[in-house]
Amino acid sequence: MSKELAIKLFKLYRYSDNNMAVWQRFSRRKPTGGLIKHYVKVKRKRDLGNLPTLTKLADKHKVKSVRVMGGNYKAKVLYTKYINLYVPSQKKIIKTEIIDVVENRANREFPKMKIITKGAIVKTPYGVAMVTSRPGQDGVVNGVLIEEK
């Protein structure tokens, strides 16, 4: 995937207001192609989903609050520069800066686009760390320092 295409996808996910709704129900078709009879004939509001957040590494920190099912609110990190880093040897949590996104198993293009998801490997002044939180769901970026033995 080229960088231009990756940027287009990022903008499509992030800034799409006029796209169709995301529906989180299973398909009406069987693997064989036949129709499944559902007990509900129409789509319900509870079946709506959202596009992925795609938390990006930037100089600013921006959190978006979104209303979800049951009247609750979910904090989504759109941009961030910091990580709450747990250092196992010292048993301490340190708020530190993220220098770079090294690896991301969710998508091989994410490190080029500097997108942080759960499981991403990021570079910090203390060393490399793995992100343990879900920034698009939790509202924070938490991680564990990967110490060499």
Side-chain angles (χ1 to χ4, degrees), residues 16-118:
S16 59
D17 292 333
N18 58 355
N19 283 347
M20 293 178 62
V22 177
W23 191 52
Q24 294 199 136
R25 206 115 199 259
F26 45 84
S27 174
R28 293 180 177 213
R29 295 273 177 187
K30 299 178 194 176
T32 57
L35 278 173
I36 299 173
K37 290 187 178 181
H38 290 286
Y39 64 93
V40 174
K41 300 285 184 187
V42 294
K43 294 180 181 179
R44 301 292 169 109
K45 186 162 175 65
R46 65 174 178 248
D47 299 329
L48 280 177
N50 284 316
L51 293 170
T53 305
L54 301 180
T55 302
K56 197 147 169 60
L57 178 63
D59 289 334
K60 58 184 175 179
H61 181 76
K62 186 175 180 183
V63 179
K64 181 180 177 184
S65 184
V66 178
R67 186 187 181 280
V68 293
M69 185 120 175
N72 299 312
Y73 282 87
K74 186 181 286 188
K76 295 185 172 202
V77 179
L78 301 178
Y79 301 100
T80 190
K81 187 179 181 177
Y82 296 100
I83 184 171
N84 299 323
L85 186 65
Y86 175 69
V87 183
S89 60
Q90 300 174 3
K91 296 187 179 175
K92 276 187 172 180
I93 296 175
I94 305 163
K95 182 177 180 180
T96 185
E97 188 177 332
I98 300 173
I99 298 169
D100 193 17
V101 180
V102 179
E103 181 187 344
N104 198 327
R105 292 183 183 157
N107 189 327
R108 65 181 181 182
E109 301 295 326
F110 281 0
K112 295 175 193 171
M113 297 162 58
K114 308 293 183 213
I115 292 177
I116 302 166
T117 60
K118 183 177 178 177

